[in-house]
Amino acid sequence: MCSDTPLYAHRLLTTVAGRTFLSFLLLYLLLIQLCRHAFYRDPTSAFFDPARAYQHVYSMQRQRQADDFINAADSSARKPPLRGPQTTMCLGIATVERPDEQYVRPAFGSLMEGLTDEERKHIHTVVLVGHTDPQQHPIYHETWLENTADKVLTYDTSNTTQFDLLVKWEKDKDYRRKAIYDYTYLLETCIQSGAAWITMVEDDTVAVRGWYSRAMAALDVADSKSTDWLYLRLFFTEKFFGWNAEFWPTYLLSSVLIIIAVAGLLLALRRLRSHTLISNWLILTACFVYTPAFILLYFMAGKLSMRPLPPGVHEMPNYGCCAQGMVFSSPVAARVVDKLRQKEVGFVDMILEAWANEEKLTRFAVVPSLLQHIGGHSSKGDDFTPAQPMSVAETIFNFGFELYEQRGEHVIHPTING
């Protein structure tokens, strides 16, 4: 056995097949290191590193800018609302008291900060304080809210039957019913404003600077692509956009065709060159070791890294979680109200997705997201385990949003392409 080792090493260093294997091994190890450096932000990648990927970079900058806006609004006198000849968009935010931080402050501040006076004229803002006793929410009497929101919405106490139900849902912590009611109540209020577009934003998000101009440009693109669409998504999380199992026959066929192509290329080259340079062994290892290894590395790198979604407006019928930010046309918003009232209980995003699937309604999303989720707790439950040290809510995250500054796309008035 000992005498075989030097002979094997000699063959590795002196034969074409041996040198090819060593070159492949060194290249493969180098590529793995490059993948670890390049694809740590991709949640669909085997090289995904949560400790680095979930860092709030650009969103922290937006929170600071939002805080500056809120602080300025807190210390200034109320300004008369700016109004254009017609309201283009109603912006609705429902908020409830959070146990630690009141995310609605940076959420609302980031949506307002950076707007031009002309843009602000076309936006009607409605903030629903979602408590039967609105005094329960710390922001209810804060100056910035009175100074900046066009309407602070509370529940109608004159409708005693509905109000008693709200009190019961609060007491029983029946969030699945109350959340549906809040969404429809806010949607209806926005519809009554006469706005052409209704934007619903959750209170634990921050917006990119220039979100309004981007959204309006995206709505033009969506209208040009379809006449029957449900919503334009301003937020989605990329973690569900991996190599989904339902497409495995396509992935397998593509892999087989690549291996056949490599075999054909090597056989063709052998006809042009000496047989000793491209041996049967080299062809076999190339087809059943090297090429499969590179194909495996391609899939390990992650779908979003290998096939990134280009910036623009895209149809997103599947995997587009969650309901942090959506834009509806006013007529569609009225249909959404009817649909949610029929269901009465559940989660808004799940109800809308089921409805869209049933009626084959088109759904669009802006890439990159115009919103980032910053909340730490989910209404759908949090599952802390040694394998999952983050809450469910903390993983509802758009990784592309954090690169706005790095890509130089944080300018206020960008172009949105289809």
Side-chain angles (χ1 to χ4, degrees):
M1 288 293 291
C2 292
S3 61
D4 290 340
T5 303
L7 179 60
Y8 179 73
H10 177 73
R11 286 178 177 174
L12 277 176
L13 295 171
T14 58
T15 64
V16 173
R19 288 197 296 270
T20 303
F21 176 77
L22 286 176
S23 300
F24 158 77
L25 190 60
L26 289 172
L27 176 61
Y28 204 77
L29 291 173
L30 176 62
L31 287 174
I32 287 175
Q33 293 304 315
L34 289 174
C35 287
R36 286 177 175 167
H37 175 74
F39 305 138
Y40 72 90
R41 282 185 177 275
D42 182 352
T44 71
S45 173
F47 304 100
F48 179 61
D49 181 0
R52 291 189 292 165
Y54 282 108
Q55 290 180 0
H56 292 264
V57 182
Y58 180 62
S59 55
M60 284 300 297
Q61 177 183 325
R62 289 300 293 147
Q63 287 185 66
R64 288 192 293 270
Q65 292 169 337
D67 288 342
D68 290 342
F69 176 89
I70 294 297
N71 290 336
D74 234 351
S75 58
S76 63
R78 179 175 173 81
K79 296 180 181 179
L82 296 167
R83 277 290 162 266
Q86 183 177 358
T87 300
T88 303
M89 178 182 289
C90 180
L91 174 62
I93 304 177
T95 179
V96 294
E97 181 192 19
R98 304 279 179 157
D100 301 315
E101 182 181 356
Q102 305 310 314
Y103 298 117
V104 67
R105 294 187 184 110
F108 190 86
S110 67
L111 289 162
M112 295 295 102
E113 194 279 332
L115 290 176
T116 66
D117 287 344
E118 187 62 28
E119 289 171 337
R120 184 64 183 89
K121 288 178 183 178
H122 292 278
I123 304 173
H124 179 73
T125 58
V126 182
V127 178
L128 168 62
V129 179
H131 294 276
T132 51
D133 177 10
Q135 312 278 350
Q136 199 175 324
H137 201 307
I139 71 163
Y140 185 58
H141 286 301
E142 289 183 353
T143 306
W144 68 265
L145 183 63
E146 182 182 351
N147 284 352
T148 56
D150 296 307
K151 185 177 182 64
V152 178
L153 188 64
T154 57
Y155 298 126
D156 181 7
T157 56
S158 64
N159 185 344
T160 55
T161 303
Q162 182 60 61
F163 191 78
D164 289 345
L165 273 176
L166 287 166
V167 171
K168 182 180 185 302
W169 293 339
E170 277 188 343
K171 182 180 178 181
D172 297 343
K173 299 188 185 305
D174 192 350
Y175 303 125
R176 296 176 68 201
R177 291 184 187 276
K178 186 173 178 297
I180 295 295
Y181 178 83
D182 288 353
Y183 207 87
T184 55
Y185 183 39
L186 192 52
L187 265 179
E188 280 189 309
T189 303
C190 270
I191 292 168
Q192 291 165 8
S193 73
W197 302 104
I198 315 297
T199 299
M200 300 289 285
V201 175
E202 292 198 355
D203 71 338
D204 55 354
T205 58
V206 290
V208 63
R209 201 161 199 247
W211 71 271
Y212 177 75
S213 57
R214 293 173 188 266
M216 293 306 297
L219 289 167
D220 287 340
V221 174
D223 266 345
S224 70
K225 289 187 171 187
S226 174
T227 57
D228 187 24
W229 53 275
L230 178 58
Y231 61 67
L232 174 71
R233 187 180 279 284
L234 303 185
F235 172 88
F236 65 94
T237 180
E238 302 102 323
K239 65 180 181 179
F240 302 116
F241 284 79
W243 306 105
N244 295 293
E246 59 263 39
F247 299 112
W248 75 263
T250 303
Y251 304 145
L252 178 60
L253 178 60
S254 301
S255 301
V256 170
L257 289 175
I258 291 170
I259 292 171
I260 291 172
V262 170
L265 177 63
L266 290 175
L267 288 169
L269 288 173
R270 188 164 72 172
R271 289 178 182 176
L272 300 174
R273 295 175 176 271
S274 169
H275 179 277
T276 57
L277 288 176
I278 303 179
S279 64
N280 289 336
W281 176 253
L282 179 60
I283 293 174
L284 285 172
T285 52
C287 292
F288 297 105
V289 178
Y290 307 148
T291 304
F294 283 121
I295 290 172
L296 176 63
L297 188 60
Y298 174 86
F299 283 104
M300 289 173 63
K303 187 176 181 181
L304 289 172
S305 297
M306 297 296 97
R307 302 181 187 176
L309 290 169
V313 178
H314 298 271
E315 286 192 34
M316 196 171 284
N318 299 309
Y319 316 119
C321 177
C322 301
Q324 270 66 31
M326 293 179 176
V327 186
F328 307 94
S329 69
S330 186
V332 170
R335 293 168 61 193
V336 171
V337 168
D338 292 339
K339 178 58 66 173
L340 293 178
R341 279 193 173 145
Q342 290 171 20
K343 295 296 182 181
E344 292 186 353
V345 60
F347 298 108
V348 170
D349 54 338
M350 294 181 179
I351 293 171
L352 292 182
E353 294 309 307
W355 176 33
N357 290 335
E358 289 169 9
E359 300 197 12
K360 295 181 172 52
L361 298 172
T362 305
R363 288 147 283 179
F364 289 109
V366 185
V367 178
S369 283
L370 303 188
L371 301 174
Q372 178 65 289
H373 180 246
I374 60 172
H377 299 279
S378 172
S379 61
K380 298 175 186 176
D382 292 312
D383 183 18
F384 293 93
T385 66
Q388 179 61 50
M390 301 175 70
S391 71
V392 172
E394 287 172 314
T395 64
I396 300 173
F397 193 87
N398 186 272
F399 299 91
F401 183 92
E402 300 302 328
L403 301 178
Y404 267 114
E405 186 81 17
Q406 181 177 317
R407 288 190 301 256
E409 295 174 359
H410 58 292
V411 292
I412 296 183
H413 298 286
T415 299
I416 294 284
N417 299 313

